[in-house]
């Protein structure tokens, strides 16, 4: 839901060693998709482990507004009675996607090839974010978008009555745009083709196959060529949502920088399109053991044993790794502050159009905590201060961005003086149990 209540400041103080098991909630990307694909299948999709964060709850409400029956049975246990591809009904009211770029962009995709119109809005963060990146390809199917200047929400999308399939080369590495085009292609006759130069998270492709769509991926000189055959009947599925590696990043990184820590983080995805942070941390010298590799909910996972790592070194993060760790740069820049030497993050300009301008939010907050930062449009460089070296003693602005809020609370767990975030309320969008989980490990958080 758009609109936030009063800001909720929160302060993190230097923590005792973290101990125990950090079982993080379900993956946000897969949770959105389970609801959306469930709504487009015919019959009942059963979901376990659904993330009950606000972003996902907003997608559940949207699917109801388009005519699907979405029922919560128990914590994480939901069913969706889908209406089939092309079976959506026109919503009677504005669709409010709250803080969620994934929600609004995927939902625009799945209604763009059905003859109806829908009006979308979101909170102050989402209303600033560019929607042209999805409405441009959706217009090739025949949809029309009427938004504010610069392609911003609120926006009305008029779906194509006679959609045509498209062939689209992604101009930005974005799984949201890729997924919006694939979802639109579901209700277009013939083959829709999406070409991505750099691989991005592949949950849509994996799940579409699971739901019975005809889809194949070829690797060619132009990158991944994904071909989807339109107008399938999607079969309902049982979806067991694996844990979210982007949420796991917070306890993992906290344990790396809080002296004496030793924790277990079970079931962290090792999907190559999501595990860039973990590769980077290992290269920096993080002590992480990847135990018990297996498959859960269709994703390769491992249990991570994470110990305090006082000798991490700054590295140059390979720019081509960015799509596989795009949401993890804020927390990586915190870890980099506690390493020695420079950590150089290039090719990261997409961070400027996330829930906030994440390069700016991290740079300003870390500088206030005493860290030296260099930045340009596409680059963030952190000059590490070594283990225990960050002074802290500052308030960071979170700009309605959950990952900025969690990153600075983790920073405050290891810095010399406390770190306050001006507003911790956005954390509910992706990680509603963050405070309880972290304090259960030993974090010292206080409301102020
Ligand atoms: C997501 C894709 C990423 C990521 C977002 C979730 C998804 O965005 O930042 O949190 O579920 O497809 P982009 O694909 O726009 O980079």
């Amino acid at each position: 839901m758009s609109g936030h209540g009063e800001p909720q400041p929160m302060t993190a103080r230097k923590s005792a060693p973290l101990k125990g098991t950090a079982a993080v909630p379900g993956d946000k990307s897969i949770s959105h998709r389970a609801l959306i694909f469930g709504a487009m299948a015919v019959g009942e999709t059963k979901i376990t482990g659904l993330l009950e964060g606000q972003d996902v709850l907003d997608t559940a409400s949207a699917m109801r507004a388009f005519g699907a029956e979405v029922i919560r049975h128990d914590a994480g246990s939901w069913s969706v009675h889908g209406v089939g591809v092309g079976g959506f009904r026109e919503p009677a009211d504005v669709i409010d996607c709250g803080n969620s770029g994934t929600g609004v962009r995927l939902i625009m995709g799945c209604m763009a090839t059905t003859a109806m119109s829908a009006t979308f809005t979101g909170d102050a963060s989402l209303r600033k974010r560019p929607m042209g990146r999805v409405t441009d390809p959706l217009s090739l199917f025949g949809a029309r978008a009427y938004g504010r200047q610069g392609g911003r929400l609120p926006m009305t999308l008029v779906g194509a009555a006679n959609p045509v399939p498209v062939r689209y080369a992604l101009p930005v590495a974005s799984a949201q745009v890729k997924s919006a085009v694939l979802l639109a292609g579901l209700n277009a006759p013939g083959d829709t083709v999406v070409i991505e130069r750099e691989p991005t998270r592949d949950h849509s492709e994996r799940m579409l196959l699971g739901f019975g769509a005809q889809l194949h991926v070829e690797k060619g000189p132009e990158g991944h060529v994904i071909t989807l055959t339109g107008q399938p009947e999607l079969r309902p599925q049982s979806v067991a949502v694996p844990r979210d590696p982007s949420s796991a990043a917070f306890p993992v990184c906290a344990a790396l920088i809080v002296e004496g820590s030793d924790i277990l983080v079970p079931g962290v995805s090792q999907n190559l399109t999501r595990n860039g942070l973990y590769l980077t941390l290992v290269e920096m010298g993080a002590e992480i053991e990847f135990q018990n590799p297996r498959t859960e909910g269709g994703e390769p996972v491992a249990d991570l044993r994470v110990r305090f790592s006082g000798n991490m070194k700054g590295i140059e993060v390979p720019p081509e790794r960015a799509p596989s760790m795009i949401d993890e740069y804020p927390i990586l820049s915190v870890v980099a502050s506690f390493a020695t030497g420079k950590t150089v993050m290039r090719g990261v300009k997409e961070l400027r159009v996330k829930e906030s301008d994440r390069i700016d939010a991290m740079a300003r907050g870390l500088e206030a905590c005493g860290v030296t930062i260099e930045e340009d449009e596409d680059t963030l460089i952190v000059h590490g201060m070594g283990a225990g070296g960050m002074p802290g003693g500052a308030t960071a602005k979170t700009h309605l961005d959950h990952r900025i809020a969690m990153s600075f609370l983790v920073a405050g767990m290891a810095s010399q003086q406390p770190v306050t975030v001006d507003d911790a309320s956005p954390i509910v969008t992706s990680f509603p149990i963050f405070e309880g989980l972290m304090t259960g490990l030993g974090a010292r958080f206080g409301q102020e």
Side-chain angles (χ1 to χ4, degrees), residues 299-360:
E299 293 280 319
V301 303
D303 301 332
L304 270 48
R305 171 119 188 238
V306 189
R307 296 186 179 86
F308 168 64
S309 303
N311 290 316
M312 287 185 286
K313 307 260 178 299
I315 64 161
E316 177 110 19
V317 183
E320 64 278 8
R321 196 178 281 169
S324 69
M325 54 181 291
I326 195 67
D327 290 337
E328 282 67 76
Y329 284 98
I331 189 62
L332 175 64
S333 64
V334 170
V335 173
S337 304
F338 291 90
T340 50
K342 270 199 305 191
T343 295
V344 180
M345 298 165 259
R346 294 194 199 281
V348 294
K349 65 173 184 288
E350 272 296 294
L351 297 183
R352 296 208 181 268
V353 290
K354 294 294 179 187
E355 285 81 333
S356 68
D357 175 343
R358 287 181 171 165
I359 295 181
D360 184 67

Side-chain angles (χ1 to χ4, degrees), residues 363-411:
R364 301 294 82 77
L366 288 173
E367 279 169 352
C369 290
V371 183
T372 302
I373 300 291
E374 292 171 70
E375 68 171 293
D376 67 26
E377 182 56 24
D378 199 25
T379 309
L380 178 64
I381 300 174
V382 175
H383 292 254
M385 307 186 81
M390 184 198 278
T395 297
K397 285 202 181 124
T398 57
H399 304 282
L400 294 180
D401 189 328
H402 53 131
R403 297 199 201 280
I404 301 299
M406 291 186 279
S407 295
F408 280 107
L409 289 169
V410 169

Side-chain angles (χ1 to χ4, degrees), residues 24-30 51 201 203 242-253 265 267-271 273-278 304 322-332 355 358 402-404 406-407 410 430-431 434:
V24 303
D27 188 87
K28 182 152 72 74
S29 293
I30 297 175
L51 168 67
R201 67 190 67 196
H203 307 303
R243 299 186 195 283
D244 194 326
S246 299
S247 298
F250 295 101
V252 167
C253 291
V265 188
V268 178
S269 177
Q270 300 300 297
N271 178 327
T273 65
R274 293 292 295 278
N275 73 343
L277 172 75
Y278 299 98
L304 270 48
S324 69
M325 54 181 291
I326 195 67
D327 290 337
E328 282 67 76
Y329 284 98
I331 189 62
L332 175 64
E355 285 81 333
R358 287 181 171 165
H402 53 131
R403 297 199 201 280
I404 301 299
M406 291 186 279
S407 295
V410 169
S430 69
F431 199 164
F434 174 78

Side-chain angles (χ1 to χ4, degrees), residues 243-299:
R243 299 186 195 283
D244 194 326
S246 299
S247 298
F250 295 101
V252 167
C253 291
L256 293 175
I257 61 173
V258 171
E259 206 172 328
S261 298
D262 185 351
I263 67 167
L264 191 73
V265 188
V268 178
S269 177
Q270 300 300 297
N271 178 327
L272 299 178
T273 65
R274 293 292 295 278
N275 73 343
L277 172 75
Y278 299 98
L279 300 177
T280 303
L281 293 172
V282 168
E283 285 172 16
M284 292 172 77
E287 269 193 66
I288 305 178
E289 271 173 47
F290 297 82
Q291 301 175 341
N292 193 15
R294 60 195 182 279
T295 301
E296 265 179 19
E299 293 280 319

Side-chain angles (χ1 to χ4, degrees), residues 72-279:
R72 179 180 190 268
H73 302 289
D74 212 339
S77 168
W78 291 59
S79 7
V80 183
H81 295 266
V83 293
V85 168
F88 277 179
R89 66 154 192 245
E90 187 169 87
D93 202 348
V94 172
I95 303 293
D96 186 343
C97 291
N99 192 249
S100 181
T102 307
V104 72
R105 292 181 175 132
L106 268 56
I107 296 166
M108 281 184 174
C110 66
M111 56 95 21
T113 46
T114 305
M116 65 172 63
S117 70
T119 300
F120 296 89
T121 193
D123 70 4
S125 154
L126 192 57
R127 279 183 272 119
K128 282 188 201 149
R129 297 180 68 185
M131 295 299 142
R133 55 175 57 200
V134 283
T135 56
D136 287 352
L138 296 182
S139 70
L140 303 175
F141 288 95
R144 280 167 295 137
Y146 304 93
R148 285 193 304 129
Q149 287 270 321
R152 317 276 155 181
L153 303 180
M155 177 177 277
T156 297
L157 193 66
V158 182
N162 296 301
V164 289
V166 311
R167 182 179 176 89
Y168 191 69
L170 295 175
V172 279
S174 167
Q176 293 179 356
V177 178
K178 169 175 68 177
S179 303
V181 176
L182 291 174
L183 282 160
L186 279 176
N187 198 35
D191 285 353
T192 284
V193 180
V194 186
I195 301 150
E196 60 174 4
R197 213 159 3 101
E198 298 151 307
T200 62
R201 67 190 67 196
D202 59 358
H203 307 303
S204 294
E205 296 90 307
R206 287 170 183 250
M207 292 176 77
L208 277 167
L209 282 170
F211 275 86
Q214 261 190 52
L215 174 142
H216 65 264
V217 184
E218 274 168 64
K219 273 192 193 166
E222 347 156 65
H224 284 165
V225 181
I226 306 157
T227 305
L228 171 80
T229 303
Q231 300 182 328
E233 181 169 311
L234 296 185
R235 293 186 302 260
Q237 294 298 295
S238 290
V239 181
V241 180
R243 299 186 195 283
D244 194 326
S246 299
S247 298
F250 295 101
V252 167
C253 291
L256 293 175
I257 61 173
V258 171
E259 206 172 328
S261 298
D262 185 351
I263 67 167
L264 191 73
V265 188
V268 178
S269 177
Q270 300 300 297
N271 178 327
L272 299 178
T273 65
R274 293 292 295 278
N275 73 343
L277 172 75
Y278 299 98
L279 300 177

